[in-house]
Amino acid sequence: MFKKKIKSFMGVVATITLVSSLILGCSSEEVTSQAEWQPIPEKTETTVEETPVENNEPEEEGEVIPEGCYRSELTNEWIDESLKDQRPIAVMVDNEKAALPHFGVNSCDIVYEMMNSTLNNRITRLMCILKDYNSVEQLGSVRSTRPTNFMVMAEYDAILCHDGGPFYNEQYYGKSYVDHLDSGFARFSNGKNVEYTEYITNEPYTNTNKNKSYQSISERIDEAKFSVTYTSNYEGPHFEFSDEDYRLSSIVDVQNAKDIKLPFPHNSSELKYNEETGLYEYYVYGEPHVDAVTKEVTTFKNVIIQGVSHTQLDENGYLIYNVIGSGEHGYFITNGEAVPIIWIKTTENGRTTFTNAVNGKDIVLNTGKTYIAIVPDDSWKKLTLG
């Protein structure tokens, strides 16, 4: 079922027919709970003279790779090969109701949502990770960052884009794994308060009302002399993917998860599973979240919910999540089903690994975009899956 799990078997040409029968015999409907992939026994020598057997059946065809494309390390979707080594950007996006509608979120590959402050009924902020940043016309609105975001964006060797933040960020600015662009992005005259007017643009933008011009995201990166391609900090692809859509229930016992209500009271964040599309639709403030660029509801194929303790830094509500840990809890959710997971992160810029708590194996995502919620441990019990 998981092509990436069995590719090591495909080199055995003499047993390719047997491999095919194993795959066909273990479809998502037939694999029993706790099923394990077993390696194919090596062919043993025999003294019997083998006679070639004519085989008129067509040879099994491999995966057809679209010309000039490769599978994205962030979504496993086919994207232009010119992007293969390009670093993504990680953009801090305001999630206050006054900031809506968002622009460009539907173009992002991975979207994190986490509590931004312990005040204001625990308002959340988004961190949107996007590899092909030259394809999105407008992304934002851009707001400030928090210390946690530096440690999370580093897992993707991303360039963090934000507008300011508390002085607690200063200890991260000089870290070897941190490249960040702070403020100075395009300001649009959209009738909102100034804090909701700043956006990433893929081309230079001139605000005729203010008679002021702004650089594109590529120009900002070049001016900062940041590497456009992955640096030595990059540890490789963050996730493992299945090339074929699968259901978690084909592997382990699962929990129903067609309606996910996050314990984010200010934003009322919710994910609802659409049976027809096989995707989770994101809701905020009780309404579907619609991207102002695509005019479509924001959807995700995969959902990861990560339970994390946090430390409040002062009376202003500033906080840091304790994202470095071992044996912590969470859920992996796809196709309306959830399994408990355990997450581990050992260093500030090291990858977070997510392990299926039932079978002890690293989770395998379905091809598509991923939503990751970092949920405070003290409100974990208010999370509901139904």
Side-chain angles (χ1 to χ4, degrees):
M1 173 181 19
F2 303 140
K3 286 190 177 181
K4 293 194 184 297
K5 291 284 189 182
I6 63 174
K7 281 183 179 175
S8 58
F9 307 149
M10 295 305 180
V12 188
V13 176
T15 58
I16 193 168
T17 304
L18 178 57
V19 176
S20 300
S21 64
L22 282 173
I23 297 173
L24 293 173
C26 294
S27 66
S28 61
E29 292 78 19
E30 295 176 322
V31 178
T32 57
S33 179
Q34 305 284 350
E36 299 276 345
W37 284 105
Q38 297 296 329
I40 300 170
E42 295 183 2
K43 186 176 179 180
T44 56
E45 295 184 359
T46 176
T47 57
V48 178
E49 183 176 353
E50 296 184 0
T51 303
V53 178
E54 184 176 354
N55 185 357
N56 294 322
E57 295 183 3
E59 294 184 4
E60 179 178 311
E61 294 184 1
E63 183 177 47
V64 177
I65 301 176
E67 185 176 356
C69 295
Y70 87 105
R71 284 193 180 275
S72 166
E73 62 273 27
L74 299 181
T75 66
N76 203 48
E77 297 169 328
W78 293 109
I79 62 173
D80 196 281
E81 195 171 26
S82 64
L83 297 167
K84 191 168 187 178
D85 296 320
Q86 180 171 292
R87 300 168 72 186
I89 59 174
V91 183
M92 298 303 304
V93 175
D94 199 316
N95 207 22
E96 177 58 89
K97 192 171 186 177
L100 300 179
H102 290 143
F103 286 72
V105 171
N106 286 8
S107 298
C108 298
D109 303 303
I110 300 171
V111 175
Y112 279 81
E113 183 174 9
M114 65 187 81
M115 177 174 63
N116 188 57
S117 171
T118 57
L119 302 183
N120 301 319
N121 211 14
R122 297 195 167 194
I123 188 172
T124 67
R125 189 155 291 174
L126 306 180
M127 183 174 75
C128 301
I129 298 176
L130 171 63
K131 188 171 178 69
D132 188 8
Y133 48 79
N134 285 315
S135 68
V136 61
E137 179 180 344
Q138 183 177 346
L139 175 57
S141 61
V142 178
R143 286 300 297 272
S144 61
T145 191
R146 299 291 182 266
T148 304
N149 298 102
F150 290 99
M151 291 183 280
V152 176
M153 68 87 178
E155 302 188 22
Y156 304 90
D157 196 26
I159 299 170
L160 185 64
C161 302
H162 64 104
D163 190 331
F167 75 90
Y168 301 107
N169 292 338
E170 293 177 4
Q171 63 180 305
Y172 294 94
Y173 291 156
K175 299 278 187 179
S176 62
Y177 61 81
V178 172
D179 284 339
H180 72 108
L181 298 172
D182 185 350
S183 67
F185 303 106
R187 290 284 182 176
F188 285 70
S189 297
N190 57 11
K192 297 180 181 292
N193 291 341
V194 65
E195 63 265 33
Y196 308 126
T197 63
E198 190 172 17
Y199 298 84
I200 302 288
T201 57
N202 66 352
E203 297 206 5
Y205 172 75
T206 298
N207 186 322
T208 55
N209 291 331
K210 296 179 178 293
N211 194 28
K212 186 171 182 180
S213 296
Y214 303 87
Q215 294 174 306
S216 68
I217 180 63
S218 292
E219 289 173 330
R220 290 290 305 275
I221 292 172
D222 289 344
E223 184 178 67
K225 297 184 176 0
F226 294 152
S227 173
V228 176
T229 57
Y230 284 120
T231 71
S232 59
N233 294 313
Y234 184 53
E235 296 184 355
H238 199 289
F239 296 109
E240 183 175 1
F241 290 90
S242 171
D243 293 345
E244 295 179 356
D245 198 61
Y246 81 100
R247 299 185 69 85
L248 288 167
S249 54
S250 67
I251 311 171
V252 295
D253 293 333
V254 298
Q255 180 175 341
N256 190 54
K258 295 181 178 179
D259 186 9
I260 306 165
K261 294 181 179 179
L262 284 303
F264 299 144
H266 180 93
N267 302 77
S268 302
S269 304
E270 187 173 0
L271 293 150
K272 298 182 180 182
Y273 184 62
N274 186 319
E275 296 276 3
E276 294 184 1
T277 64
L279 302 174
Y280 282 91
E281 298 176 347
Y282 178 57
Y283 281 65
V284 66
Y285 301 105
E287 300 290 339
H289 179 274
V290 177
D291 190 307
V293 175
T294 65
K295 311 300 183 185
E296 296 177 346
V297 176
T298 302
T299 59
F300 302 95
K301 184 62 181 179
N302 307 289
V303 176
I304 295 174
I305 304 176
Q306 188 178 353
V308 186
S309 63
H310 68 279
T311 301
Q312 184 165 328
L313 300 175
D314 58 29
E315 68 279 2
N316 297 313
Y318 293 128
L319 69 135
I320 185 169
Y321 278 102
N322 302 314
V323 292
I324 300 174
S326 177
E328 304 295 338
H329 58 282
Y331 284 106
F332 169 48
I333 305 168
T334 188
N335 284 333
E337 300 173 338
V339 292
I341 58 174
I342 295 170
W343 64 265
I344 299 172
K345 180 178 170 73
T346 58
T347 61
E348 281 186 357
N349 61 322
R351 288 200 309 263
T352 301
T353 60
F354 300 96
T355 303
N356 187 318
V358 179
N359 63 12
K361 296 183 177 182
D362 288 350
I363 63 173
V364 178
L365 275 59
N366 274 314
T367 296
K369 302 177 188 296
T370 300
Y371 166 93
I372 302 176
I374 296 182
V375 173
D377 272 349
D378 63 1
S379 61
W380 181 259
K381 291 182 179 180
K382 296 179 181 179
L383 168 71
T384 63
L385 307 180

